Amino acid sequence: MNILKIGGSVLNKLEEFELKADLIVHGGSDYVDALCERLGIEIKKLTSPSGVEFRYTPKEVLEVYLMAVMKANKDIVTHLQSRGINAVGLSGLDFGIVKAKRKRIIKAVIDGKKVVIRDDYSGKIENIDTSTLIELMNLGIPVIAPIAMSETFEPLNVDGDKLAKEIALSLEADELTFLSDTAFLVNGEVVDRIRAEELEEFLPFAEGGMKRKLLMARTALEGGVKKVTIQGLNGRTVIE
Amino acid sequence: MNILKIGGSVLNKLEEFELKADLIVHGGSDYVDALCERLGIEIKKLTSPSGVEFRYTPKEVLEVYLMAVMKANKDIVTHLQSRGINAVGLSGLDFGIVKAKRKRIIKAVIDGKKVVIRDDYSGKIENIDTSTLIELMNLGIPVIAPIAMSETFEPLNVDGDKLAKEIALSLEADELTFLSDTAFLVNGEVVDRIRAEELEEFLPFAEGGMKRKLLMARTALEGGVKKVTIQGLNGRTVIE
């Protein structure tokens, strides 16, 4: 079984990839940013004290996030259906497939100062309803948008890479593939293959989204996934 | 089996209704209008030569339409989940459940003159995949947004009332219920009950959305649906 994560940066380049998957998770950052801009809503990307960048998602941004990622969701479904692949687009809200706990207090570093944020609607994934996912996979390919349901029934922004990894682990998938604009580069060269044992040595060469993908690959491999691929437009990095 | 249509005007008043249904179809006009306004996109409602009002949906509006109705879709799903009702939100694009033919030429009357419109993305419903709907109803309550897939895999705007009626007929449902802000009024009084045989006499008293609902009721009853209810905040009209 292969879980495929489609990154927001390649949503407009889907025809350049072969989309072989049993289940798809996607992002939508570019769509969210574009809609925020059109609506005159400030896009804030914050950095956690541990150096991980995240989207600041107050209520107003959450609504835009939901609309934009569902547009991405339907674009992917339409693309797949046009290729004869029977797909169904869902969010984690549907059937309550993805449950998350709202991060009520988030710490960020702004201009070198630690600040506490309390109005953010991001979630930590807590539960995946695998039995419903399996039922759906019998009907077609589920395409899941990165929105989870909180314990008090609020939609929450969750990271697409993390969601793909969590679903791969829950379904005990063999493969996890990230579609992205670039494969993993070190000194401008694509790293074709990384053995699980040497993954740690490569982490210092990765930044931002790529660092997150390598970290997801590490936990996925530790959890039983056999192969993680970062498929870029410039080549691929296979980690196994 | 009861098919429930939730009108766009009552999306913010869901707690005032009892939502008993096997499948839900919804609208989202108010959401679409609000997002168009925020984006500075002109909202044009046109009138056909036969007097039926419709939303002019060029490509730019179609994208907004899709985002806004999917927001409505997830609002309904979240509401139902919070009440312990297992629901899944879909559009007609998903699994290709609703297929429609794009209306390539639309006639409208503007300032008393007939005009021909060629860039509209509205569709005439052609096929409902009932077997997939039945499979989904075994898993929870499907909540369907009024977006269909064209024969060339484009999303199309379809009327929610019509979609509800077509689904009721395809699934051979006994009941079709429209949730709306008002039940059917004649001289300011709610008409409680209309027998199918006398429906024709009531048509001249209805306008706009209510006229469309009575026409949908007529075809639904002719097609085997036993009871059509227009449930408003001010009472209900039962047609059987």
Side-chain angles (χ1 to χ4, degrees):
Chain A
M1 190 195 290
N2 184 24
I3 307 302
L4 180 68
K5 157 75 199 305
I6 301 180
S9 61
V10 293
L11 281 170
N12 295 319
K13 297 163 193 155
L14 292 182
E15 64 291 339
E16 299 186 34
F17 294 100
E18 200 190 356
L19 297 176
K20 269 192 160 176
D22 297 285
L23 185 148
I24 292 173
V25 173
H26 64 90
S29 264
D30 292 12
Y31 280 44
V32 179
D33 290 350
L35 188 56
C36 278
E37 257 176 45
R38 286 180 68 187
L39 291 167
I41 295 170
E42 194 189 355
I43 302 156
K44 269 196 201 162
K45 300 215 172 137
L46 300 178
T47 307
S48 76
S50 63
V52 179
E53 198 188 66
F54 63 94
R55 176 186 298 280
Y56 171 52
T57 316
K59 201 94 191 177
E60 184 190 37
V61 174
L62 181 77
E63 298 208 334
V64 175
Y65 177 86
L66 198 151
M67 291 193 285
V69 297
M70 287 318 296
K71 173 73 168 63
N73 185 272
K74 298 314 166 201
D75 283 357
I76 296 168
V77 168
T78 306
H79 176 83
L80 291 169
Q81 294 282 145
S82 76
R83 294 192 162 193
I85 300 165
N86 198 16
V88 58
L90 303 164
S91 71
L93 303 169
D94 300 295
F95 291 126
I97 289 172
V98 184
K99 298 254 169 63
K101 198 173 164 61
R102 187 175 155 205
K103 299 173 184 169
R104 295 198 175 270
I105 290 178
I106 291 187
K107 288 176 186 153
V109 181
I110 300 176
D111 298 332
K113 278 183 196 156
K114 272 194 195 176
V115 295
V116 169
I117 293 164
R118 292 175 198 276
D119 63 347
D120 192 82
Y121 284 83
S122 298
K124 185 177 172 340
I125 297 161
E126 298 239 299
N127 188 58
I128 312 278
D129 177 356
T130 47
S131 68
T132 300
L133 284 181
I134 290 164
E135 297 262 19
L136 288 167
M137 286 160 78
N138 289 329
L139 299 175
I141 295 183
V143 178
I144 318 273
I147 304 165
M149 183 81 92
S150 83
E151 63 276 32
T152 53
F153 300 97
E154 293 158 316
L156 297 175
N157 160 11
V158 290
D159 177 69
D161 288 343
K162 271 191 195 160
L163 178 58
K165 185 259 293 175
E166 290 295 337
I167 288 179
L169 289 175
S170 303
L171 289 172
E172 300 179 9
D174 318 295
E175 282 191 60
L176 172 60
T177 306
F178 295 102
L179 290 197
S180 178
D181 43 5
T182 46
F184 179 38
L185 297 174
V186 171
N187 300 328
E189 296 270 325
V190 172
V191 179
D192 293 322
R193 184 166 294 268
I194 300 176
R195 283 181 303 137
E197 310 86 73
E198 53 183 14
L199 189 50
E200 214 65 34
E201 301 161 33
F202 282 95
L203 277 174
F205 295 99
E207 285 185 347
M210 192 52 74
K211 182 161 195 166
R212 198 170 54 238
K213 279 177 184 58
L214 293 189
L215 291 171
M216 295 302 121
R218 186 172 66 181
T219 25
L221 293 169
E222 280 168 5
V225 173
K226 293 192 182 64
K227 183 177 165 183
V228 178
T229 304
I230 299 163
Q231 175 69 58
L233 293 163
N234 60 341
R236 73 176 64 179
T237 305
V238 177
I239 311 164
E240 56 189 348
Chain B
M1 189 193 291
N2 183 24
I3 306 303
L4 181 68
K5 157 75 199 306
I6 301 180
S9 61
V10 294
L11 281 170
N12 296 319
K13 298 162 193 154
L14 291 183
E15 66 289 340
E16 300 186 33
F17 294 100
E18 199 189 358
L19 298 176
K20 268 192 160 177
D22 298 283
L23 185 148
I24 292 173
V25 173
H26 64 90
S29 262
D30 292 11
Y31 281 43
V32 179
D33 289 351
L35 188 55
C36 278
E37 257 177 44
R38 285 180 68 187
L39 291 168
I41 294 171
E42 195 189 355
I43 301 156
K44 269 195 200 163
K45 302 215 170 137
L46 300 179
T47 306
S48 75
S50 62
V52 179
E53 198 188 67
F54 63 94
R55 176 186 297 280
Y56 171 51
T57 316
K59 201 93 189 178
E60 183 190 38
V61 174
L62 181 76
E63 298 207 334
V64 175
Y65 178 86
L66 199 150
M67 292 192 284
V69 297
M70 288 317 297
K71 173 74 169 63
N73 185 273
K74 298 315 167 200
D75 283 356
I76 296 169
V77 168
T78 305
H79 176 82
L80 291 169
Q81 294 281 146
S82 76
R83 295 192 162 194
I85 301 166
N86 198 16
V88 57
L90 302 163
S91 70
L93 302 169
D94 299 295
F95 291 126
I97 290 172
V98 184
K99 298 253 169 64
K101 198 176 164 60
R102 186 173 158 209
K103 300 173 184 169
R104 295 197 177 271
I105 290 178
I106 291 188
K107 286 176 188 155
V109 181
I110 300 175
D111 299 332
K113 277 182 195 160
K114 272 193 197 177
V115 293
V116 169
I117 293 164
R118 292 176 198 277
D119 64 347
D120 192 83
Y121 285 82
S122 298
K124 186 179 173 332
I125 298 160
E126 298 239 300
N127 189 57
I128 311 279
D129 177 356
T130 48
S131 67
T132 299
L133 285 181
I134 290 164
E135 298 261 18
L136 288 166
M137 286 159 77
N138 289 330
L139 298 174
I141 296 184
V143 178
I144 318 273
I147 304 165
M149 182 79 93
S150 83
E151 63 276 32
T152 53
F153 300 96
E154 293 158 316
L156 297 175
N157 160 12
V158 291
D159 177 70
D161 289 341
K162 271 191 194 159
L163 179 57
K165 184 258 293 175
E166 290 295 337
I167 288 179
L169 289 175
S170 302
L171 289 172
E172 301 180 8
D174 317 295
E175 283 192 60
L176 171 61
T177 306
F178 294 101
L179 291 198
S180 177
D181 43 5
T182 46
F184 179 40
L185 297 175
V186 171
N187 301 328
E189 296 269 326
V190 172
V191 180
D192 293 320
R193 185 167 294 268
I194 301 176
R195 284 181 303 136
E197 309 85 74
E198 54 184 12
L199 189 50
E200 213 66 33
E201 301 161 34
F202 283 95
L203 277 174
F205 296 98
E207 283 183 350
M210 193 51 75
K211 182 162 194 166
R212 198 170 55 238
K213 280 179 183 58
L214 293 189
L215 291 171
M216 295 302 122
R218 185 171 68 182
T219 26
L221 293 169
E222 281 168 5
V225 173
K226 292 191 185 65
K227 183 177 165 183
V228 178
T229 304
I230 299 163
Q231 175 69 58
L233 293 163
N234 59 342
R236 72 178 62 181
T237 306
V238 177
I239 312 164
E240 57 190 346

